[in-house]
Amino acid sequence: MIRIFDIALKDLLQLSRDFKTFMFLLIMPILFTFLFGFAFGGFGGNDDSDSRLPVGYLSQDDHWITTELHDLLAESDVIRLEENPFLTSFDLEELVANGDLAAAIIVPEGYGRAVLKNKTVRLAVIADAGTQSWTTIEAEVLTAASRIDGAARTATIMEQMELEGVPFDYAFEQTLSAWDEPPISINETSSLAIKQTSDEGNALAHTSPGMMLQFAIAGLLTAAQVIVTERTSRTLQRLLTTATRRIHVLLGHFLAIFLLIFTQFTILIIFGQYVLKVDYLRLPGATMLVAFSAALCISALGLLIGILAKTEEQAITFSLIPMFVFAGLGGAWVPLEFTGKTFQAIGHLSPVAWGMDGFENICARGLGFESVLIPSAALAGYAVFFFLLATWRLSASEEK
Amino acid sequence: MINVPAIAVLGLHKSFGGNQAVQGVNFEVKQGEIFSLLGPNGAGKTTTISMLSCLLRPDEGDAHVMGHSIRSDPTGVKSVLGVVPQDLALYEDLTARENLSFWGKMYGLRGSKLKLRVDEVLEVIGLRDRANERVNKYSGGMKRRVNIGVALLHKPKVIYMDEPTVGIDPQSRRNILDSVVALKNEGMTVLYTTHYMEEAQELSDHVAIMDHGKLIACGTHEELVKLVGQQTRIDLTLNGDSENVMGAWKNIDGVSRVSSEDGLVSVLVKDSNQILPHLFEAAAQLSIRITSVDIREPNLEALFLHLTGRALRD
Ligand SMILES: Nc1ncnc2c1ncn2[C@@H]1O[C@H](COP(=O)(O)OP(=O)(O)OP(=O)(O)O)[C@@H](O)[C@H]1O
Ligand SMILES: [Mg+2]
């Protein structure tokens, strides 16, 4: 049993001596994720780690109520206030149109005083209504403005109550009337910032798992070569003259490729999460289950390639073909949902399609843990299929 | 255990398609001896070794290695066996030390015992200084030495060496031949295959000559040489007319045959030391100069020629 680990360790040592391994498993997928990411939508200028939506803020009022509003907005989890006293409302409008800001809030002069007098002075908001980001921003600004308004009215009522004992109806009506007119007004514009953030997010949530899966198969270029070398250099024969059994050798190779690819997945998932902002770790258990079964499946495929290939050149060809076929068919390049029903069905012949489903259910579609169970089971099924095929081919080729 | 033969081969047969690679081979190797299988390319040596190491299943026949049957107890066979394959079986992208460590583990060695043994083997194969270089940076001879070293790690009782000296420099060859003798001195049994008859002659206690899948002769060096007769051949080149002198030599007592081919005169004699002066004397009387003399003691090459009508290396 322990020989399986010895063999796996030996394989990993051999693989680590080959620069190509790192090239295929890490450098290429990262490179291609960026490349495809650009092709799908490009990147915003901001690359700081603050993922809140940038919202311009211009105050033409210096009342203390306005300062309260500003502080409420500044504490938000979803928007980040961009303040520059030198910008006019006209500049802000342009920034939103250019996509440098997701929206802009302009507090008009007299806002604070009006709030205290229970008059309605609306906040002006420049944004592209109807987008997802807008919904988020709108809710946030509305909440802040309403809290200020509500607080002011309550305070006024309390004041009046002390003076003359105001009837309940009056207080109630006053409070309710605050909602008659929403305290903000939207100035519509077409914002690129909103489009970009959402598109970029979607594009990477697709290309990141796509490239990860594709280049995991590319990693078989070197991994399968180790097995081919094992056979052609007669070391396999020699292993069989020791007490090592054939199944130990097979499992050892399998374990080595599995560890290699699972590590690759882990590194790329962490990279995707923290650098590309693809939310793999929303459900870490689910993502890792998909990674685990995808690694099982691809290592079994690697084993099969290593056993079918007669030469190292063949090992390369045999790895490249499934890489392109499985990745292309499985929607690693163009999402399968952009294609027709028939193609989607055919695409799911490729294990990559299941891997994509699994990862995207978590990082793009926001589904729950149970959504990765079927994709993971499908991947595990492919793993068993490839493994059995490999075992069968090996015994067929060795028995004379 | 003490008295069983190290290897007992009983009627092994193996065909590849229509090609009968091994056709009924029988021989016995005693414990602690060096036994050579001598034969030309394609004789069936590697096929025999492969069956004896349980890599190939024989079509017919059986063999016992230290009492373990290759048919019914391959695990037992493997436990007493070290195999040096004809083709290098190493991981070229790993260093010699990493290779030995890995193979040691495959033979069941671990920890400090493994480390100690790897160092010992590196010493034996003379590669201690360069142990941490990758094997693909080594010369052919050095690779062969590592290839042998691997089989020594677990101190096997029986070791097979399949043409370990093919295509290497004289220095490495010497090192290998010496280490084979050293193994024997440590009590190991060595089954050695080669197509160099000098090696078989120098090393072996017993030699089996193999050709076309069959053993055509088997015995000690002396026994085999007797098969060609005790005659020594003296090859001479002469300066002048050879006809007369050949007639004179035929009449010398102890000369059994004189023949000539391409200006080379061959004389078959019982004892070259005694006859040689008479050959010179007779030539001098006829004013003929002898320009070269080559004495060929009876050897395995001659035996092979005698048995098959072909030279060993054709
Ligand atoms: N795996 C195989 N498949 C088919 N034929 C084989 C196989 N192995 C050996 N042979 C054939 O069996 C015969 C004996 O080969 P073998 O390798 O045993 O010879 P050998 O004595 O070791 O020769 P050499 O000195 O060249 O190593 C040859 O005719 C060879 O072509
Ligand atoms: Mg051979």
Side-chain angles (χ1 to χ4, degrees):
Chain A
M1 268 308 279
I2 191 158
R3 287 192 168 87
I4 297 173
F5 292 96
D6 293 331
I7 292 172
L9 224 63
K10 183 271 299 170
D11 280 7
L12 289 175
L13 190 61
Q14 283 183 286
L15 284 167
S16 71
R17 295 273 154 90
D18 193 343
F19 175 71
K20 290 202 294 295
T21 309
F22 300 104
M23 171 89 174
F24 287 127
L25 286 178
L26 292 176
I27 300 172
M28 301 268 274
I30 289 177
L31 225 65
F32 273 77
T33 307
F34 279 120
L35 227 81
F36 273 79
F38 265 117
F40 274 97
F43 289 80
N46 284 318
D47 60 352
D48 48 322
S49 59
D50 193 340
S51 63
R52 295 179 298 172
L53 294 161
V55 173
Y57 180 85
L58 175 66
S59 173
Q60 297 163 338
D61 187 52
D62 49 15
H63 198 273
W64 63 268
I65 288 282
T66 310
T67 316
E68 291 288 334
L69 173 73
H70 169 267
D71 293 349
L72 270 180
L73 289 171
E75 282 165 14
S76 163
D77 286 334
V78 292
I79 65 173
R80 168 165 45 90
L81 291 188
E82 298 271 334
E83 295 167 84
N84 185 340
F86 300 107
L87 295 180
T88 63
S89 61
F90 186 75
D91 295 331
L92 287 176
E93 204 166 328
E94 202 164 87
L95 283 173
V96 173
N98 290 342
D100 292 325
L101 293 175
I105 301 166
I106 297 160
V107 187
E109 200 187 326
Y111 171 79
R113 254 181 308 131
V115 168
L116 280 186
K117 289 187 176 153
N118 295 342
K119 283 190 194 151
T120 308
V121 174
R122 298 198 196 166
L123 295 172
V125 179
I126 307 165
D128 180 12
T131 61
Q132 275 223 318
S133 323
W134 165 241
T135 321
T136 317
I137 296 168
E138 184 187 33
E140 197 69 5
V141 178
L142 265 176
T143 312
S146 308
R147 274 173 67 185
I148 293 288
D149 222 32
R153 280 174 200 245
T154 316
T156 318
I157 294 163
M158 299 288 280
E159 205 169 30
Q160 286 176 355
M161 258 173 33
E162 241 169 75
L163 288 177
E164 50 188 32
V166 203
F168 175 78
D169 318 16
Y170 173 75
F172 185 69
E173 249 165 38
Q174 282 287 307
T175 314
L176 211 61
S177 76
W179 298 97
D180 285 353
E181 292 165 288
I184 62 173
S185 78
I186 308 151
N187 204 341
E188 275 203 43
T189 169
S190 174
S191 166
L192 286 170
I194 293 168
K195 277 227 179 71
Q196 258 186 13
T197 27
S198 59
D199 274 7
E200 179 192 309
N202 279 343
L204 288 182
H206 175 78
T207 48
S208 167
M211 292 304 107
M212 184 160 81
L213 286 165
Q214 168 172 347
F215 285 99
I217 303 180
L220 299 181
L221 287 175
T222 47
Q225 270 185 32
V226 168
I227 302 178
V228 173
T229 315
E230 181 96 88
R231 287 167 42 228
T232 52
S233 71
R234 312 272 167 177
T235 46
L236 177 62
Q237 294 265 315
R238 182 171 225 166
L239 276 171
L240 297 177
T241 69
T242 70
T244 313
R245 308 231 320 269
R246 195 183 300 273
I247 188 74
H248 292 156
V249 181
L250 214 60
L251 287 173
H253 289 320
F254 180 69
L255 182 65
I257 310 180
F258 172 79
L259 289 175
L260 188 74
I261 290 179
F262 190 67
T263 311
Q264 179 222 12
F265 280 152
T266 309
I267 294 174
L268 288 183
I269 283 171
I270 291 172
F271 178 82
Q273 177 77 29
Y274 293 104
V275 181
L276 306 177
K277 308 277 177 234
V278 174
D279 207 359
Y280 285 113
L281 300 185
R282 193 172 59 78
L283 290 176
T287 298
M288 289 330 273
L289 178 65
V290 179
F292 183 87
S293 21
L296 276 185
C297 168
I298 293 173
S299 7
L301 176 66
L303 202 61
L304 180 63
I305 293 170
I307 283 164
L308 287 181
K310 292 204 171 60
T311 60
E312 298 195 6
E313 288 72 36
Q314 274 191 0
I316 294 175
T317 321
F318 288 0
S319 309
L320 285 176
I321 292 173
M323 178 181 105
F324 286 121
V325 173
F326 285 162
L329 204 64
W333 303 331
V334 177
L336 280 183
E337 52 265 36
F338 290 2
T339 65
K341 276 259 177 291
T342 329
F343 192 85
Q344 283 185 27
I346 296 172
H348 278 81
L349 287 177
S350 157
V352 169
W354 295 103
M356 292 299 293
D357 279 357
F359 284 126
E360 286 191 294
N361 282 351
I362 299 307
C363 70
R365 303 192 184 109
L367 300 178
F369 186 88
E370 63 292 339
S371 71
V372 302
L373 292 180
I374 290 179
S376 302
L379 287 168
Y382 271 104
V384 172
F385 173 68
F386 290 142
F387 191 88
L388 290 180
L389 214 58
T391 324
W392 171 68
R393 279 308 307 166
L394 183 68
S395 42
S397 69
E398 301 291 329
E399 276 310 319
K400 285 265 169 61
Chain B
M1 214 44 177
I2 302 295
N3 291 318
V4 296
I7 308 169
V9 182
L10 309 160
L12 283 181
H13 280 264
K14 184 76 194 177
S15 304
F16 299 105
N19 179 2
Q20 302 201 330
V22 174
Q23 318 176 32
V25 166
N26 295 283
F27 62 89
E28 202 172 288
V29 180
K30 292 200 194 75
Q31 285 189 35
E33 74 167 335
I34 300 176
F35 187 102
S36 288
L37 265 183
L38 175 68
N41 293 132
K45 304 183 295 291
T46 301
T47 308
T48 305
I49 294 259
S50 296
M51 288 189 280
L52 293 181
S53 37
C54 310
L55 283 176
L56 276 179
R57 235 187 134 61
D59 297 337
E60 260 178 64
D62 195 357
H64 291 90
V65 181
M66 298 301 287
H68 305 283
S69 158
I70 59 167
R71 278 185 179 277
S72 56
D73 184 14
T75 318
V77 173
K78 287 172 184 180
S79 69
V80 294
L81 201 59
V83 181
V84 181
Q86 176 169 1
D87 301 301
L88 292 176
L90 300 169
Y91 301 104
E92 301 229 352
D93 39 8
L94 303 184
T95 67
R97 185 182 293 280
E98 286 164 347
N99 263 287
L100 291 172
S101 266
F102 171 75
W103 288 108
K105 287 180 200 160
M106 291 303 109
Y107 281 121
L109 299 171
R110 313 243 142 223
S112 56
K113 210 170 152 193
L114 171 66
K115 207 181 161 308
L116 188 75
R117 192 59 195 147
V118 166
D119 283 333
E120 280 173 13
V121 167
L122 282 169
E123 196 70 58
V124 171
I125 60 177
L127 286 174
R128 206 167 180 155
D129 301 339
R130 305 189 55 181
N132 296 324
E133 280 177 46
R134 292 193 199 174
V135 170
N136 55 20
K137 300 270 186 310
Y138 282 176
S139 72
M142 292 161 74
K143 288 180 190 175
R144 290 235 159 246
R145 285 191 256 161
V146 181
N147 200 37
I148 293 173
V150 166
L152 309 180
L153 285 161
H154 60 308
K155 299 192 177 169
K157 293 204 174 65
V158 180
I159 182 162
Y160 303 159
M161 298 180 133
D162 196 358
E163 306 201 26
T165 57
V166 167
I168 61 171
D169 56 288
Q171 187 199 340
S172 287
R173 184 196 184 100
R174 195 64 256 159
N175 175 298
I176 289 171
L177 294 182
D178 289 347
S179 61
V180 174
V181 174
L183 293 178
K184 174 191 155 146
N185 292 339
E186 281 178 32
M188 284 188 201
T189 309
V190 182
L191 175 60
Y192 188 98
T193 83
T194 179
H195 57 237
Y196 296 123
M197 62 99 196
E198 313 85 16
E199 285 183 3
Q201 210 159 293
E202 174 187 336
L203 293 173
S204 334
D205 299 299
H206 284 91
V207 181
I209 299 180
M210 194 165 187
D211 190 36
H212 292 311
K214 288 183 183 141
L215 288 196
I216 52 177
C218 187
T220 62
H221 181 223
E222 288 71 32
E223 285 166 357
L224 289 174
V225 165
K226 265 198 197 120
L227 293 174
V228 239
Q230 292 285 32
Q231 309 252 1
T232 300
R233 195 174 89 206
I234 306 174
D235 290 335
L236 310 103
T237 42
L238 306 177
N239 188 355
D241 177 27
S242 56
E243 285 299 320
N244 287 340
V245 81
M246 282 171 69
W249 284 349
K250 271 182 188 147
N251 296 327
I252 297 173
D253 219 16
V255 171
S256 54
R257 207 178 80 193
V258 181
S259 60
S260 96
E261 198 180 314
D262 297 338
L264 191 73
V265 180
S266 297
V267 184
L268 281 180
V269 301
K270 279 249 183 294
D271 181 350
S272 57
N273 273 2
Q274 189 209 320
I275 302 296
L276 210 50
H278 297 296
L279 297 182
F280 275 90
E281 201 176 307
Q285 275 171 14
L286 293 166
S287 307
I288 287 186
R289 283 179 62 81
I290 296 175
T291 53
S292 83
V293 181
D294 197 354
I295 301 169
R296 297 183 175 268
E297 293 275 339
N299 62 21
L300 297 176
E301 176 125 47
L303 172 64
F304 191 80
L305 188 69
H306 176 80
L307 292 174
T308 66
R310 290 179 290 122
L312 193 51
R313 256 165 282 169
D314 58 8

